Amino acid sequence: MSDGDDERRRDLPDGGTDDVASAGDDVRADDTELDDTELDDVREGDRFTPADRVDAVAPSGIRAFFEVAESRDDVISLGVGEPDFTAPWPARSAAIASLERGRTSYTANRGTPELRRAIARHVERYDLSYDPEEEILVTTGASEAVDLAFRALVDPGDVVALPTPTYVSYAPGVTFAGGEPLPVPTYHEDDWSLTPEALRAAGADEADVLVLCYPNNPTGATMSREELSGVAEFCREHDLLVVSDEIYAALTYGDEHTSVATLPGMRERTVVINGFSKAYAMTGLRLGYALAPPTASAAMTKVHQYSMLSAPTTAQHAAAAALQRCDDEVGEMRREYDRRRRYLTARLRELGLDVAEPGGAFYAFPRVADVAPDGDDEAFATDLLRETGVAAVPGSAFGDGGAGHLRLSYATGMDELKEATRRLESYLAEH
Amino acid sequence: MDDETRALLDVLVADARESTADIARQTGLSADEVDARLDDLEAAGVLRGYTAVVDWDRTDADRVAAVVEVNVELDRETAYEEIARRIAESPTVDSLRLVSGDYDFALDVSANTMQAVSRFVAEEVAPLPAVTKTVTHYVMETYKERGVVFDDRDEDDRLSVTP
């Protein structure tokens, strides 16, 4: 059935749906009971009203910008939040082999025991220890894990503190779960790191949950053990739960990644989320996982069980191979990102743009407020795209804390980075 | 070797035409430091040359390439090094390695014609007193050379803007 027919079927008044559905593709010919006037009403009207909690969420700022970017064909995009590498061959090969053997059934709700054991071994490198039977849940992307954490742990009216700028999906996820997002601004001057003072100033001492995302999308900021200790103390003192999205943990440059769950008194109040999209370049395979104490893990598994049943089986086979056999490939990708990171930040500074040193992920988040019209990052990004074909995401898409900045992804080739910064240079010279 | 030097070598291996300024940006060294380290690496014989990876099939040049296996039998007066030195003299030889396994030397050779390659093997390698056997494999197609895949790169089909 074409999209048009499908749409029409949804639009029918009460009682019409069954008749039309049984008529199959020949809907128009068989639909004799509706006269022309009714048909017009049906075509124009739409009986649906989104639920309030869905209506309350604005469309993604990135989405609007994406449409402008897609309308051109000469775009060099620094707006892409996914690796430009292909998933390592051992992972792809394991996926192919699993299909060849016909392993296409559901898996256990929590994920295959093999993958959960591999995850348990893998996270030991971050000093994290979780029981594969009760404390590890494999999800459809880290995105599902974030959503599950909110739906399973946030009660209606609960306040969820979100340090901004941050990944665009947290606030909507909180709202969908009935919670109330509380933005906690972080600042360029602090290298975007989160401080207890910033939490206190935003009123997070009254919050129920704190979401952490370090290394951070979009700023590239990382948090040292010492910096996290202050935040951990705040959480213990005010009894906050923590949802810590550590999807970029493997992509840190310099100091090793520290998980907040390794700090005293934090494991029991933290859900750690990770996945395969970024480090293993497996975005399209949609696989993530959540580490949490048994009660939280069971609650998340319950929601997962009724909504998703189990994560994609083929992707789970790929993921197990990724953990077991792809360390070298991850190391190579990280070295390449590091090279580009140095190049991009050096170039931005040469162009007079102030940028905090990104310690992880694959983004630089330079300040453009001083060179943008009225300090408006969206206007700057749109103008830059129109005039030079360089796509960069306006920082305000990541929350108020990101206003006046641009997110530039270096998950793109060195040649493209060179050309994009060259175009940015001429643009800045002309404005 | 320190991290910066390693990073410098990685950059050059990926693209030997990188400018000093671009190498400096990628490694965190200053341009002067990059130049100084390159001089040191060249003097120490670590950096042996800066060459291009060419897909000759896309040119109109006549070029025939082959892989030659060479078995040798050593005696008291002859060592691998001596045989290698002798074979390496020929400009037909692009690379020469002593390898483990069924044969001793692996050669990559190239010339304008198949006859030239054959003549090199027949007249310059086979007659050497230590050589007991040669096997020549002509290259029919090159798919990858020194890390570079000879294939038109797939289009980047990622969305141009994502979260």
Side-chain angles (χ1 to χ4, degrees), chain A residues 236-259:
Chain A
R236 289 192 303 268
E237 191 182 331
H238 301 286
D239 198 23
L240 267 68
L241 300 178
V242 174
V243 174
S244 182
D245 182 350
E246 300 176 20
I247 183 87
Y248 292 101
L251 300 179
T252 55
Y253 316 101
D255 292 341
E256 289 289 306
H257 170 72
T258 302
S259 172

Side-chain angles (χ1 to χ4, degrees), chain A residues 115-135:
Chain A
L115 176 56
R116 278 180 281 143
R117 283 195 296 271
I119 290 168
R121 278 194 297 276
H122 174 78
V123 299
E124 282 172 8
R125 69 183 59 186
Y126 302 118
D127 295 324
L128 295 169
S129 173
Y130 287 88
D131 177 3
E133 297 297 319
E134 282 195 307
E135 298 185 312

Side-chain angles (χ1 to χ4, degrees), chain A residues 110-391:
Chain A
R110 278 184 178 276
T112 66
E114 182 202 12
L115 176 56
R116 278 180 281 143
R117 283 195 296 271
I119 290 168
R121 278 194 297 276
H122 174 78
V123 299
E124 282 172 8
R125 69 183 59 186
Y126 302 118
D127 295 324
L128 295 169
S129 173
Y130 287 88
D131 177 3
E133 297 297 319
E134 282 195 307
E135 298 185 312
I136 296 178
L137 169 64
V138 177
T139 58
T140 305
S143 302
E144 193 212 348
V146 170
D147 185 48
L148 290 177
F150 294 151
R151 286 207 281 159
L153 305 173
V154 173
D155 274 319
D158 277 1
V159 174
V160 179
L162 301 170
T164 72
T166 197
Y167 179 56
V168 297
S169 295
Y170 302 138
V174 169
T175 306
F176 293 150
E180 291 176 13
L182 173 73
V184 180
T186 63
Y187 301 97
H188 183 107
E189 294 72 21
D190 298 334
D191 284 343
W192 304 106
S193 97
L194 179 65
T195 60
E197 293 73 36
L199 284 164
R200 203 165 291 119
D205 47 344
E206 298 292 328
D208 302 286
V209 179
L210 169 66
V211 177
L212 297 178
C213 172
Y214 297 97
N216 182 267
N217 175 6
T219 63
T222 50
M223 297 262 292
S224 67
R225 175 167 291 271
E226 197 183 1
E227 289 169 315
L228 277 173
S229 293
V231 172
E233 194 182 333
F234 183 92
C235 293
R236 289 192 303 268
E237 191 182 331
H238 301 286
D239 198 23
L240 267 68
L241 300 178
V242 174
V243 174
S244 182
D245 182 350
E246 300 176 20
I247 183 87
Y248 292 101
L251 300 179
T252 55
Y253 316 101
D255 292 341
E256 289 289 306
H257 170 72
T258 302
S259 172
V260 69
T262 60
L263 296 169
M266 293 308 292
R267 186 188 189 279
E268 52 264 47
R269 60 174 71 245
T270 302
V271 177
V272 176
I273 289 164
N274 206 326
F276 297 85
S277 293
K278 310 299 181 179
Y280 298 96
M282 283 168 48
T283 44
L285 290 177
R286 309 305 310 126
L287 212 67
Y289 55 90
L291 314 169
T295 310
S297 193
M300 290 172 66
T301 304
K302 191 191 283 181
V303 182
H304 172 76
Q305 182 182 353
Y306 287 121
S307 56
M308 201 63 75
L309 248 176
S310 61
T313 304
T314 309
Q316 292 189 58
H317 289 293
L323 291 178
Q324 286 152 0
R325 309 210 297 271
C326 297
D327 270 3
D328 287 350
E329 286 87 343
V330 175
E332 263 176 49
M333 289 190 267
R334 183 176 51 229
R335 273 195 295 282
E336 176 66 19
Y337 289 135
D338 192 13
R339 198 157 78 83
R340 299 176 189 173
R341 173 185 75 107
R342 291 169 189 278
Y343 176 82
L344 182 59
T345 46
R347 279 291 272 145
L348 293 172
R349 284 172 186 158
E350 286 164 14
L351 300 183
L353 298 179
D354 198 7
V355 58
E357 190 72 27
F362 35 59
Y363 310 105
F365 203 61
R367 187 176 163 79
V368 293
D370 316 325
V371 290
D374 300 328
D376 181 348
D377 53 291
E378 273 183 54
F380 183 84
T382 308
D383 199 36
L384 180 71
L385 176 61
R386 289 219 174 93
E387 287 197 25
T388 72
V390 173

Side-chain angles (χ1 to χ4, degrees), chain B residues 28-78:
Chain B
L29 297 164
S30 71
D32 286 347
E33 284 171 323
V34 170
D35 278 334
R37 285 188 194 222
L38 288 176
D39 288 345
D40 291 347
L41 289 164
E42 285 170 18
V46 174
L47 274 173
R48 294 291 186 139
Y50 305 85
T51 68
V53 179
V54 178
D55 185 351
W56 290 103
D57 286 349
R58 295 194 179 215
T59 70
D60 56 4
D62 293 321
R63 187 172 180 275
V64 177
V67 177
V68 183
E69 305 169 0
V70 180
N71 292 73
V72 299
E73 200 168 273
L74 301 182
D75 58 37
R76 289 183 188 195
E77 276 82 43
T78 321

